[in-house]
Amino acid sequence: MKVVGEQLEGWAHTQSDFYEKDLFGRSAFNRYYYAAFLIAREMLSKYKSEWKCTPHAEIPNLLETSFSNQIINQLKQNKKKGLMTDSEVSRLRKKLRTATSELASLLKEAYDARVIADYEPETTITTKGNTISLKHYKLNSASGWADRANNYCKIIYSVRRDAGLD
């Protein structure tokens, strides 16, 4: 998906017709959102297949509640069994909370941009220099959503592994 977004973004930059620039730009936002969303959904579905069907807008909440709580409960059990120290549990818990919170924030932001791109045609893109924006979202920032989502998921995978869940 990210490569499609990059192509659409490139086309948006080359369009002299504003209408076409707007169409390609908003389509790029859409693809960048889906690139990040699919990375997060893939991670979640590895642990519970039904999480694959979670509505888009609910995934940030899922990350910060049920999904995180499962890992935190395992960390508590590890501490109780003497398999981990307080400092190890605290460090992993903090790592997990930061990664899930940042991923949830990213998905909320990307989802909001995607909704504007898809359902608010009256909100047109703007260009300033070489920067294409939709409301306050910048297309060059959106191009990094998938990489950021991937990095947060890697941290989450490592915490799960360290907790003994993988």
Side-chain angles (χ1 to χ4, degrees):
M1 285 295 162
K2 182 180 177 190
V3 70
V4 176
E6 291 167 342
Q7 188 67 51
L8 290 164
E9 180 179 4
W11 286 338
H13 281 292
T14 64
Q15 300 306 306
S16 56
D17 178 75
F18 179 78
Y19 179 71
E20 290 180 7
K21 184 182 284 280
D22 184 66
L23 290 175
F24 284 116
R26 62 181 54 249
S27 294
F29 274 107
N30 180 293
R31 294 297 90 189
Y32 286 143
Y33 162 73
Y34 275 102
F37 163 76
L38 290 172
I39 289 166
R41 187 182 78 165
E42 179 184 338
M43 180 201 57
L44 290 168
S45 69
K46 284 183 179 184
Y47 303 115
K48 274 195 178 177
S49 60
E50 63 264 22
W51 284 344
K52 191 173 190 168
C53 300
T54 303
H56 292 236
E58 293 301 315
I59 286 182
N61 184 47
L62 174 64
L63 284 164
E64 294 183 304
T65 57
S66 302
F67 178 76
S68 291
N69 291 341
Q70 178 187 57
I71 301 166
I72 288 167
N73 288 338
Q74 181 64 42
L75 291 170
K76 287 178 185 175
Q77 287 178 9
N78 289 350
K79 181 183 158 202
K80 200 176 197 177
K81 293 177 184 175
L83 300 172
M84 292 184 148
T85 65
D86 281 340
S87 63
E88 288 172 316
V89 168
S90 178
R91 179 183 60 79
L92 290 173
R93 191 177 183 156
K94 183 177 180 185
K95 240 173 116 170
L96 175 68
R97 287 286 186 207
T98 300
T100 54
S101 176
E102 291 294 323
L103 181 56
S105 260
L106 166 69
L107 291 172
K108 286 175 191 173
E109 173 186 330
Y111 181 76
D112 185 52
R114 181 220 145 206
V115 167
I116 295 165
D118 286 352
Y119 301 112
E120 297 181 21
E122 67 281 1
T123 305
T124 58
I125 63 163
T126 58
T127 56
K128 189 173 186 178
N130 212 21
T131 303
I132 295 175
S133 302
L134 185 63
K135 278 198 171 177
H136 60 278
Y137 300 110
K138 295 185 180 352
L139 199 48
N140 59 346
S141 295
S143 69
W145 289 340
D147 293 334
R148 288 174 52 206
N150 216 3
N151 288 334
Y152 297 135
C153 287
K154 284 179 184 177
I155 292 167
I156 295 166
Y157 286 135
S158 80
V159 171
R160 283 187 59 90
R161 187 176 52 252
D162 291 348
L165 289 168
D166 291 336

